[in-house]
Amino acid sequence: MQHFVNEYEYTPDILQESIGAWWDYKYKDGYRSMLAVFILIAVLSIVMKRPVFLVAELVPLFVVVLFRFKKKKSIQIEQERIDILFRGTDLFCRVEVGEDISFTSLKGNRRIQFSDVENYLETRNLIVLFIKGSMTISLDKKGFREGTKEDFMSLLANTVK
């Protein structure tokens, strides 16, 4: 198996992008369901000629707003945790991928089996790995010190199903 090393500073922007990606991944089916309900209510109100049903459109809209609020709140909470735990200290992360995944930061070192990666998502600046147990590991696209982003994406495409 190839070996990759990725290093980056865990900034508020990376935190927001990483946690936002997790929320979007975790609740994508919920967003799709609310869109389907929204369309169904609109169609039913037109077919049945009952514009009063359009008031029910507020329910899926409320659920989507709730998802967005929870996403924003979880980003704020994680930022508060980082600020409290690492007050005034830059938080650097190192991710090594080989037979397994090693994640090292000021919090310590964690090892995760590569087989525990359930899925992944490429965002504007990151590659976010979704790990069993609702965990994520982020890699900065510009942070590869060993191996390349393209080779890593190829590895993910061939091994993560």
Side-chain angles (χ1 to χ4, degrees):
M1 177 173 262
Q2 295 173 305
H3 189 259
F4 299 91
V5 176
N6 188 276
E7 297 176 333
Y8 61 94
E9 183 179 356
Y10 195 67
T11 64
D13 290 339
I14 287 181
L15 179 148
Q16 185 172 356
E17 192 171 334
S18 177
I19 292 177
W22 181 86
W23 275 88
D24 291 344
Y25 170 75
K26 192 74 171 172
Y27 291 100
K28 70 180 174 190
D29 291 338
Y31 288 121
R32 289 179 183 155
S33 298
M34 291 303 102
L35 177 61
V37 169
F38 187 84
I39 292 169
L40 180 64
I41 291 170
V43 168
L44 284 175
S45 68
I46 292 169
V47 169
M48 297 177 73
K49 297 180 182 175
R50 304 267 186 199
V52 74
F53 285 166
L54 292 176
V55 173
E57 295 280 26
L58 295 175
V59 173
L61 289 176
F62 174 76
V63 172
V64 168
V65 168
L66 183 64
F67 283 164
R68 304 302 280 180
F69 175 75
K70 289 181 76 172
K71 174 180 170 179
K72 183 177 178 181
K73 189 66 177 168
S74 77
I75 290 169
Q76 288 173 339
I77 289 169
E78 182 64 13
Q79 185 61 58
E80 288 173 9
R81 286 180 186 146
I82 296 297
D83 291 345
I84 290 169
L85 291 172
F86 304 103
R87 193 174 319 238
T89 306
D90 294 334
L91 180 57
F92 288 94
C93 301
R94 178 182 172 95
V95 181
E96 291 187 52
V97 179
E99 292 298 319
D100 61 0
I101 301 169
S102 172
F103 180 82
T104 306
S105 72
L106 292 175
K107 292 181 180 180
N109 186 320
R110 293 186 176 87
R111 287 189 124 27
I112 297 167
Q113 297 299 311
F114 197 80
S115 60
D116 289 333
V117 176
E118 293 181 321
N119 208 340
Y120 64 94
L121 180 69
E122 185 175 0
T123 65
R124 188 177 73 240
N125 300 303
L126 304 174
I127 301 166
V128 182
L129 305 179
F130 301 108
I131 313 296
K132 291 177 183 173
S134 294
M135 295 183 290
T136 62
I137 293 179
S138 299
L139 294 90
D140 190 323
K141 289 180 184 180
K142 297 175 187 169
F144 283 93
R145 303 293 177 249
E146 204 173 305
T148 66
K149 173 202 152 251
E150 292 76 16
D151 289 342
F152 187 68
M153 292 302 294
S154 178
L155 171 71
L156 290 174
N158 291 327
T159 55
V160 176
K161 305 293 182 207

